[in-house]
């Protein structure tokens, strides 16, 4: 899915043969910052330290601020003005953007085999909690991604212990912590994350078709 989107962007924007990894790593850093901004938990100076729209999906009426009733899929019916609205979760949407760029980085480096997540590790993280809370985990993701990109040299200890490069080691750490933020920190489910990613992938294809 991500491969098809990346291929379309490369073809339609005339980017064949270009190294797009620097842009993608930077884009991920920006998306992580936008995710943190939507979360708001680091803003000790503010009385509003929870996501503006909460952690769960909300009803977004196109006409008013009224609450709606769930239909199947992403359709709702507003009980206040009678129009059809939509289901929205800005925090999850920002998170899905991050997933997209992680997958693109894995594709560009041919690291698809390294994006698996051990469920037992996630359960252990549930028990122990995120190191430094959500804010600390977000900083850790940014740290590992910058380390992956900036430190190009080899690490023989990592290679002999894990069987892959230091760059893969850093990427895997960043990816795991990012997934843990979603599953443990924000209490999303795998199904919610997958659905949000697929929906954003669809939107990104539509954007390409509309000259985004």
């Amino acid at each position: 899915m991500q491969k098809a989107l990346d291929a379309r962007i490369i073809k339609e924007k005339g980017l064949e043969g270009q190294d797009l990894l620097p842009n993608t790593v930077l884009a991920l850093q920006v998306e992580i910052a936008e995710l943190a901004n939507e979360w708001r938990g680091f803003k000790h100076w503010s009385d509003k330290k929870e996501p503006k729209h909460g952690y769960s999906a909300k009803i977004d009426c196109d006409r008013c601020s009224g609450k709606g009733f769930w239909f199947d899929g992403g359709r709702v019916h507003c009980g206040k003005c009678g129009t059809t609205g939509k289901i929205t979760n800005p925090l999850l949407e920002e998170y899905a953007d991050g997933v997209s760029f992680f997958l693109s980085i894995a594709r560009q480096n041919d690291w698809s085999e390294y994006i698996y997540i051990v469920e037992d590790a996630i359960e252990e993280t549930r028990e122990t909690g995120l190191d430094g809370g959500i804010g600390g985990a977000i900083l850790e993701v940014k740290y590992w991604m910058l380390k992956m990109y900036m430190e190009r040299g080899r690490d023989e200890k990592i290679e002999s212990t894990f069987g892959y490069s230091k760059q893969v080691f850093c990427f895997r750490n960043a990816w795991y912590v990012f997934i843990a933020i979603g599953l443990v920190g924000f209490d999303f489910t795998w199904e919610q994350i997958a659905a949000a990613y697929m929906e954003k992938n669809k939107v990104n294809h539509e954007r390409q078709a509309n000259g985004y």
Side-chain angles (χ1 to χ4, degrees):
M1 184 174 285
Q2 189 64 42
K3 182 179 180 180
L5 176 62
D6 287 353
R8 178 177 183 176
I9 292 172
I10 289 170
K11 180 179 180 180
E12 295 185 0
K13 303 301 183 186
L15 301 172
E16 294 87 347
Q18 296 187 33
D19 179 12
L20 302 177
L21 184 62
N23 287 352
T24 313
V25 172
L26 179 57
L28 176 58
Q29 295 285 350
V30 172
E31 291 299 341
I32 293 171
E34 291 181 357
L35 176 67
N37 194 52
E38 184 65 37
W39 166 58
R40 299 185 61 86
F42 68 96
K43 299 185 177 185
H44 61 265
W45 56 87
S46 174
D47 291 334
K48 301 176 181 178
K49 291 187 282 291
E50 293 289 329
K52 292 179 181 178
H53 304 280
Y55 292 93
S56 302
K58 304 296 182 186
I59 303 303
D60 181 20
C61 177
D62 294 331
R63 181 173 296 179
C64 74
S65 59
K67 295 182 179 180
F69 300 98
W70 292 83
F71 288 168
D72 59 342
R75 292 173 54 81
V76 296
H77 187 75
C78 181
K80 185 175 181 180
C81 68
T83 59
T84 299
K86 62 181 179 178
I87 299 169
T88 184
N89 187 340
L91 187 68
L92 180 56
E93 291 168 8
E94 294 290 356
Y95 187 83
D97 285 336
V99 171
S100 299
F101 285 115
F102 263 110
L103 295 181
S104 184
I105 290 168
R107 182 202 59 77
Q108 291 176 52
N109 287 288
D110 197 23
W111 290 346
S112 296
E113 64 185 291
Y114 300 117
I115 61 174
Y116 66 88
I117 297 293
V118 178
E119 188 65 34
D120 287 346
I122 292 294
E123 292 308 312
E124 183 177 338
T125 300
R126 289 189 195 278
E127 294 178 4
T128 61
L130 296 169
D131 188 14
I134 294 174
I138 289 173
L139 288 174
E140 187 175 354
V141 174
K142 294 175 73 67
Y143 165 79
W144 284 118
M145 287 307 302
L146 283 174
K147 190 176 179 69
M148 179 213 78
Y149 182 73
M150 300 300 294
E151 298 186 11
R152 303 299 179 92
R154 294 180 57 186
D155 188 313
E156 294 182 0
K157 184 176 181 181
I158 289 177
E159 291 176 7
S160 63
T161 302
F162 299 100
Y164 45 68
S165 69
K166 178 175 66 177
Q167 287 69 39
V168 172
F169 177 79
C170 293
F171 175 82
R172 278 183 55 79
N173 284 343
W175 173 240
Y176 175 80
V177 177
F178 187 76
I179 291 297
I181 290 171
L183 295 175
V184 179
F186 297 151
D187 201 30
F188 296 149
T189 66
W190 283 112
E191 291 75 17
Q192 286 176 315
I193 293 171
Y197 168 73
M198 289 187 288
E199 178 63 26
K200 192 53 182 283
N201 188 271
K202 177 182 176 182
V203 169
N204 286 334
H205 274 289
E206 292 171 351
R207 286 175 171 176
Q208 292 303 307
N210 295 325
Y212 177 76

